[in-house]
Amino acid sequence: MAARRPLIAGNWKMYKTSAEAADFARRFVPLVSGVADRDIMIAPAFTALETVAGILKATNVALGAQNLFWESEGAFTAEISPKMLAAAGCRYVIIGHSERRQLFGETDDTVNRRVRAALPAGLIPVMCVGETEKERDAGQTLSVLDKQVRNGLKNLVANELGTLVIAYEPVWAIGTGKTATKEQAQAAHQFIRSLVSNLFPAELAVAMRILYGGSVKPENISELMAMDDIDGALVGGASLNPESFGKIVCY
Ligand code: 13P
């Protein structure tokens, strides 16, 4: 097993009002309070961040956001800055989720801008990459990952890379119940790590956490986590219920 500290993260997408998020947090915190050997994060909607931050304070569960804008302030109606997220209590921010790429015009370039803006604000970016089913069927998985990782990390210097997390989320496995096999996930993670070691000092690639996302459940987390290059999970549907997400965290 690798020495990297696992990270189990919940991406709540557009679910839960502030009151529902608070109810989750109150029920979830005691279920995982004894967990000391891995990091835990939940990413509610923007409207629930401050409420949930209050409940997570002084616990072992960190708060994340699901997106940010790269400018620090200005006339950018409806956007949220890195500084605003940090002030709201966020430690992490998910960037470039495939739903952002597919539905909201996110590109490798805008992903890169967001990653570069998150780091100086002290936020840990969780940069998402992954191929569609069509790309996998066409044998393009590795070239898609190569392009997304290379462009997403463009113009970052080694000492900025620090805490950055990459999440491999094959688009065909998201919300479909169709998990990548542990071998498919491991192959993608290994490829990403070796690519990062070509772009940055190798020790940074060795230390970097790469999460798997796509239909992770209490039933499949253990076999995924047993793979050498899988350092955690980014969980959608199964993170919405405190008991099931608690089981995933305590795999
Ligand atoms: P599911 O776990 O619902 O497949 O979603 C995965 C995901 O998109 C996490 O970011």
Side-chain angles (χ1 to χ4, degrees):
M1 277 293 278
R4 293 175 290 270
R5 187 175 164 85
L7 167 61
I8 308 294
N11 171 14
W12 285 358
K13 309 189 179 186
M14 199 175 74
Y15 291 98
K16 296 192 193 293
T17 62
S18 189
E20 289 163 349
D23 178 62
F24 175 106
R26 284 194 200 95
R27 288 163 57 196
F28 178 66
V29 162
L31 298 179
V32 299
S33 60
V35 174
D37 62 348
R38 62 203 67 170
D39 292 333
I40 308 166
M41 179 267 267
I42 52 178
F46 289 130
T47 47
L49 288 176
E50 290 205 319
T51 302
V52 174
I55 299 167
L56 298 185
K57 212 173 183 147
T59 73
N60 59 339
V61 183
L63 187 67
Q66 299 175 20
N67 193 17
L68 51 55
F69 189 53
W70 53 80
E71 295 290 348
S72 53
E73 60 181 15
F76 303 106
T77 300
E79 295 299 325
I80 309 276
S81 74
K83 191 173 75 177
M84 290 171 181
L85 293 182
C90 290
R91 180 86 186 99
Y92 293 85
V93 58
I94 298 169
I95 293 175
H97 190 278
S98 63
E99 287 148 17
R100 301 295 320 163
R101 294 177 188 258
Q102 294 198 314
L103 304 172
F104 301 100
E106 190 87 58
T107 64
D108 288 344
D109 176 60
T110 57
V111 167
N112 177 249
R113 288 176 186 227
R114 292 182 214 280
V115 167
R116 282 162 47 209
L119 291 163
L123 297 167
I124 301 176
V126 178
M127 184 180 88
C128 302
V129 298
E131 81 288 359
T132 62
E133 185 152 43
K134 200 163 148 225
E135 289 163 341
R136 175 165 283 264
D137 290 346
Q140 295 166 347
T141 298
L142 300 185
S143 63
V144 168
L145 295 178
D146 184 277
K147 180 179 130 324
Q148 291 178 342
V149 171
R150 208 179 274 280
N151 292 335
L153 301 181
K154 210 171 180 166
N155 296 326
L156 280 185
V157 294
N159 69 2
E160 286 176 311
L161 198 66
T163 54
L164 183 128
V165 175
I166 293 181
Y168 169 61
E169 298 207 312
V171 179
W172 48 271
I174 295 177
T176 58
K178 220 161 69 173
T179 325
T181 65
K182 56 188 194 301
E183 293 82 11
Q184 285 172 323
Q186 165 60 23
H189 284 223
Q190 193 172 24
F191 174 79
I192 291 168
R193 197 179 306 284
S194 75
L195 172 60
V196 172
S197 76
N198 291 335
L199 302 172
F200 296 93
E203 63 270 20
L204 291 178
V206 170
M208 171 179 282
R209 295 185 291 188
I210 306 177
L211 314 184
Y212 169 78
S215 298
V216 173
K217 298 182 185 59
E219 295 75 35
N220 58 23
I221 182 71
S222 299
E223 62 176 38
L224 289 162
M225 291 304 294
M227 305 308 280
D228 278 352
D229 287 288
I230 300 182
D231 309 312
L234 185 55
V235 186
S239 74
L240 293 169
N241 173 280
E243 283 75 33
S244 76
F245 193 47
K247 280 187 196 154
I248 293 174
V249 167
C250 301
Y251 66 89

